[in-house]
Structure formats: structure tokens, C-alpha cells
Coordinates of all heavy atoms in Angstrom, one line a residue:
M6 N -12.0 44.9 -10.4 CA -10.7 44.3 -10.4 C -10.7 42.8 -10.4 O -9.7 42.2 -10.6 CB -9.9 44.8 -9.2 CG -9.5 46.2 -9.2 SD -8.2 46.6 -10.5 CE -9.2 47.4 -11.6
V7 N -11.9 42.2 -10.2 CA -12.0 40.7 -10.3 C -11.5 40.2 -11.6 O -12.0 40.6 -12.7 CB -13.4 40.2 -9.9 CG1 -13.4 38.7 -10.2 CG2 -13.7 40.5 -8.5
G8 N -10.5 39.4 -11.6 CA -10.0 38.8 -12.8 C -8.9 39.6 -13.6 O -8.4 39.2 -14.5
R9 N -8.7 40.8 -13.1 CA -7.7 41.7 -13.7 C -6.3 41.5 -13.0 O -6.3 41.0 -11.8 CB -8.0 43.1 -13.6 CG -9.4 43.4 -14.3 CD -9.6 44.9 -14.4 NE -10.9 45.3 -14.9 CZ -11.2 45.3 -16.2 NH1 -10.3 45.0 -17.1 NH2 -12.5 45.6 -16.6
H10 N -5.2 41.8 -13.7 CA -3.9 41.8 -13.1 C -3.4 40.5 -12.6 O -2.7 40.4 -11.7 CB -3.8 42.9 -12.0 CG -4.3 44.3 -12.4 ND1 -3.7 45.0 -13.4 CD2 -5.3 45.1 -11.9 CE1 -4.3 46.1 -13.6 NE2 -5.3 46.2 -12.7
Y11 N -3.9 39.4 -13.2 CA -3.4 38.1 -12.9 C -2.0 37.9 -13.3 O -1.7 38.3 -14.4 CB -4.4 37.1 -13.6 CG -3.9 35.7 -13.5 CD1 -3.8 35.0 -12.2 CD2 -3.4 35.0 -14.6 CE1 -3.4 33.7 -12.2 CE2 -3.0 33.7 -14.5 CZ -3.0 33.1 -13.3 OH -2.5 31.8 -13.2
M12 N -1.2 37.4 -12.4 CA 0.1 37.1 -12.7 C 0.4 35.5 -12.7 O 0.1 34.9 -11.7 CB 1.1 37.7 -11.7 CG 2.6 37.5 -12.2 SD 3.8 38.2 -10.9 CE 3.7 36.9 -9.7
C13 N 0.7 34.9 -13.8 CA 0.9 33.5 -13.9 C 2.1 33.1 -13.2 O 3.1 33.9 -13.0 CB 0.9 33.1 -15.3 SG 0.9 31.3 -15.6
H14 N 2.2 31.9 -12.9 CA 3.4 31.2 -12.3 C 4.5 31.2 -13.5 O 4.3 30.5 -14.4 CB 3.1 29.8 -11.8 CG 4.4 29.1 -11.5 ND1 5.4 29.6 -10.9 CD2 4.6 27.7 -11.6 CE1 6.4 28.6 -10.7 NE2 5.8 27.5 -11.2
N15 N 5.5 32.1 -13.4 CA 6.4 32.2 -14.5 C 7.5 31.1 -14.5 O 8.1 30.8 -13.4 CB 7.1 33.5 -14.4 CG 6.2 34.7 -14.6 OD1 5.4 34.6 -15.6 ND2 6.3 35.7 -13.8
N16 N 7.6 30.5 -15.6 CA 8.7 29.4 -15.7 C 9.8 29.9 -16.6 O 9.5 30.5 -17.7 CB 8.0 28.2 -16.3 CG 7.2 27.5 -15.3 OD1 7.6 27.2 -14.2 ND2 5.9 27.1 -15.7
A17 N 11.0 29.7 -16.2 CA 12.1 30.0 -17.1 C 13.1 28.8 -16.9 O 13.0 28.0 -16.0 CB 12.9 31.3 -16.6
A18 N 14.0 28.6 -17.9 CA 14.9 27.5 -17.9 C 16.3 28.0 -18.1 O 16.5 28.9 -18.9 CB 14.4 26.5 -18.9
I19 N 17.2 27.4 -17.4 CA 18.7 27.6 -17.6 C 19.2 26.3 -18.1 O 19.1 25.3 -17.4 CB 19.3 28.1 -16.4 CG1 18.8 29.4 -15.9 CG2 20.9 28.2 -16.6 CD1 19.4 29.8 -14.5
V20 N 19.8 26.4 -19.3 CA 20.3 25.1 -19.8 C 21.9 25.2 -19.8 O 22.4 26.1 -20.2 CB 19.9 24.9 -21.3 CG1 20.5 23.7 -21.9 CG2 18.4 24.8 -21.4
A21 N 22.4 24.2 -19.2 CA 23.9 24.1 -19.1 C 24.4 22.8 -19.8 O 23.8 21.7 -19.7 CB 24.3 24.1 -17.7
L22 N 25.5 22.9 -20.5 CA 26.1 21.8 -21.1 C 27.4 21.4 -20.2 O 28.1 22.2 -19.7 CB 26.7 22.2 -22.5 CG 25.6 22.7 -23.5 CD1 26.2 23.0 -24.8 CD2 24.6 21.6 -23.7
S23 N 27.5 20.1 -20.1 CA 28.5 19.6 -19.3 C 29.1 18.3 -19.9 O 28.4 17.6 -20.6 CB 27.9 19.2 -17.9 OG 28.9 18.5 -17.1
L24 N 30.4 18.2 -19.7 CA 31.1 17.0 -20.1 C 30.8 15.7 -19.3 O 31.1 14.6 -19.6 CB 32.6 17.2 -20.2 CG 33.0 18.3 -21.2 CD1 34.6 18.5 -21.1 CD2 32.6 18.0 -22.6
E25 N 30.3 16.0 -18.1 CA 29.9 15.0 -17.1 C 28.5 14.4 -17.4 O 27.6 15.2 -17.8 CB 30.0 15.4 -15.7 CG 31.4 15.7 -15.2 CD 31.4 16.1 -13.8 OE1 30.9 15.3 -13.0 OE2 32.0 17.2 -13.5
K26 N 28.3 13.1 -17.2 CA 26.9 12.7 -17.3 C 26.1 13.1 -16.1 O 26.6 13.4 -15.0 CB 26.9 11.1 -17.3 CG 27.2 10.5 -18.6 CD 26.9 9.1 -18.5 CE 27.0 8.4 -19.9 NZ 26.6 7.0 -19.9
N27 N 24.8 13.3 -16.3 CA 23.9 13.7 -15.2 C 23.0 12.5 -14.8 O 22.0 12.3 -15.4 CB 23.0 14.8 -15.7 CG 22.1 15.4 -14.6 OD1 22.3 15.0 -13.4 ND2 21.2 16.2 -14.9
P28 N 23.4 11.8 -13.8 CA 22.8 10.6 -13.4 C 21.6 10.8 -12.3 O 21.1 9.9 -11.8 CB 23.8 9.7 -12.8 CG 24.7 10.8 -12.2 CD 24.7 11.9 -13.0
V29 N 21.3 12.2 -12.1 CA 20.5 12.5 -11.1 C 19.0 12.0 -11.4 O 18.5 12.1 -12.5 CB 20.4 14.0 -10.8 CG1 19.4 14.4 -9.8 CG2 21.8 14.5 -10.4
L30 N 18.4 11.4 -10.3 CA 17.0 11.0 -10.4 C 16.1 12.1 -9.8 O 15.3 12.7 -10.5 CB 16.7 9.7 -9.8 CG 17.5 8.5 -10.5 CD1 17.2 7.2 -9.7 CD2 17.0 8.3 -11.9
F31 N 16.2 12.3 -8.5 CA 15.4 13.2 -7.8 C 16.2 14.5 -7.7 O 17.0 14.8 -6.8 CB 15.1 12.8 -6.4 CG 14.0 13.5 -5.7 CD1 12.7 13.1 -5.8 CD2 14.3 14.6 -4.9 CE1 11.7 13.8 -5.1 CE2 13.3 15.4 -4.3 CZ 12.0 14.9 -4.4
Q32 N 16.0 15.4 -8.8 CA 16.9 16.6 -9.0 C 16.4 17.8 -8.2 O 17.1 18.8 -8.1 CB 17.0 16.9 -10.5 CG 15.9 17.7 -11.1 CD 14.6 17.0 -11.2 OE1 14.4 15.8 -10.9 NE2 13.6 17.8 -11.6
K33 N 15.1 17.8 -7.8 CA 14.6 19.1 -7.3 C 14.9 19.3 -5.8 O 14.0 19.2 -5.0 CB 13.1 19.2 -7.6 CG 12.5 20.6 -7.6 CD 11.1 20.6 -8.2 CE 10.7 22.0 -8.2 NZ 9.3 22.1 -8.9
T34 N 16.2 19.6 -5.5 CA 16.6 19.8 -4.1 C 17.4 21.1 -3.9 O 17.6 21.4 -2.8 CB 17.5 18.6 -3.6 OG1 18.6 18.5 -4.5 CG2 16.7 17.3 -3.7
L35 N 17.7 21.7 -5.0 CA 18.6 22.9 -4.8 C 17.8 24.2 -5.2 O 17.1 24.2 -6.2 CB 19.9 22.7 -5.7 CG 20.9 23.8 -5.7 CD1 22.3 23.2 -6.0 CD2 20.6 24.9 -6.7
A36 N 18.0 25.3 -4.5 CA 17.4 26.5 -4.8 C 18.4 27.7 -4.7 O 19.4 27.5 -3.9 CB 16.2 26.8 -3.9
L37 N 18.1 28.8 -5.3 CA 19.0 30.0 -5.3 C 18.1 31.2 -5.3 O 17.4 31.3 -6.3 CB 20.0 29.9 -6.4 CG 21.1 31.0 -6.4 CD1 22.1 30.7 -5.4 CD2 21.7 31.1 -7.8
N38 N 18.2 32.1 -4.4 CA 17.4 33.3 -4.4 C 18.3 34.5 -4.4 O 17.8 35.7 -4.1 CB 16.5 33.4 -3.1 CG 15.2 32.7 -3.3 OD1 14.8 32.6 -4.5 ND2 14.5 32.4 -2.3
D39 N 19.5 34.4 -4.9 CA 20.4 35.5 -4.9 C 19.9 36.6 -5.8 O 20.3 37.8 -5.7 CB 21.8 35.1 -5.5 CG 22.6 34.3 -4.4 OD1 21.9 33.8 -3.4 OD2 23.8 34.0 -4.6
F40 N 19.1 36.3 -6.8 CA 18.6 37.3 -7.6 C 17.1 37.6 -7.5 O 16.4 38.2 -8.3 CB 18.8 36.9 -9.1 CG 20.2 36.4 -9.3 CD1 20.5 35.0 -9.3 CD2 21.3 37.3 -9.5 CE1 21.8 34.6 -9.6 CE2 22.6 36.9 -9.6 CZ 22.8 35.6 -9.7
Y41 N 16.6 37.3 -6.2 CA 15.2 37.5 -5.9 C 14.9 39.0 -5.9 O 13.9 39.5 -6.4 CB 14.9 36.9 -4.5 CG 13.5 36.8 -4.2 CD1 12.8 35.6 -4.6 CD2 12.8 37.8 -3.6 CE1 11.5 35.4 -4.3 CE2 11.4 37.6 -3.3 CZ 10.7 36.4 -3.6 OH 9.4 36.3 -3.3
H42 N 15.8 39.8 -5.4 CA 15.7 41.3 -5.4 C 16.8 41.8 -6.3 O 17.7 41.2 -6.7 CB 15.8 41.8 -4.1 CG 14.9 41.3 -3.0 ND1 13.5 41.1 -3.3 CD2 15.0 40.7 -1.8 CE1 12.8 40.5 -2.3 NE2 13.8 40.3 -1.4

């Protein structure tokens, strides 16, 4: 089993369009796990 069934860190992106400018610098502060299960 060594080396088998490896699961990579999955990345997905949600793109949203907004009429407001996004001036955020340090953006990585919000999380949501509502769809974890």
C-alpha cells in the first residue's frame, strides 16, 4: 500500500463578480464548513 491511494490537497475556486472594488490585502481570514459533510 505504500504510495497508493494518495489524495492530493484539492484546490477549487469560486469566482464572484461584484460592482464594488475589492481593496482587501490580507484576505485569508474567512472560512465556511457548511458543506463539509
Side-chain angles (χ1 to χ4, degrees):
M6 288 291 107
V7 170
R9 300 189 188 277
H10 307 300
Y11 170 67
M12 187 184 76
C13 185
H14 170 38
N15 294 314
N16 287 309
I19 298 174
V20 178
L22 300 178
S23 173
L24 296 177
E25 295 182 52
K26 277 191 173 183
N27 181 10
V29 177
L30 294 177
F31 194 90
Q32 86 289 354
K33 201 165 182 178
T34 59
L35 183 151
L37 186 74
N38 271 340
D39 288 14
F40 310 103
Y41 196 87
H42 305 308

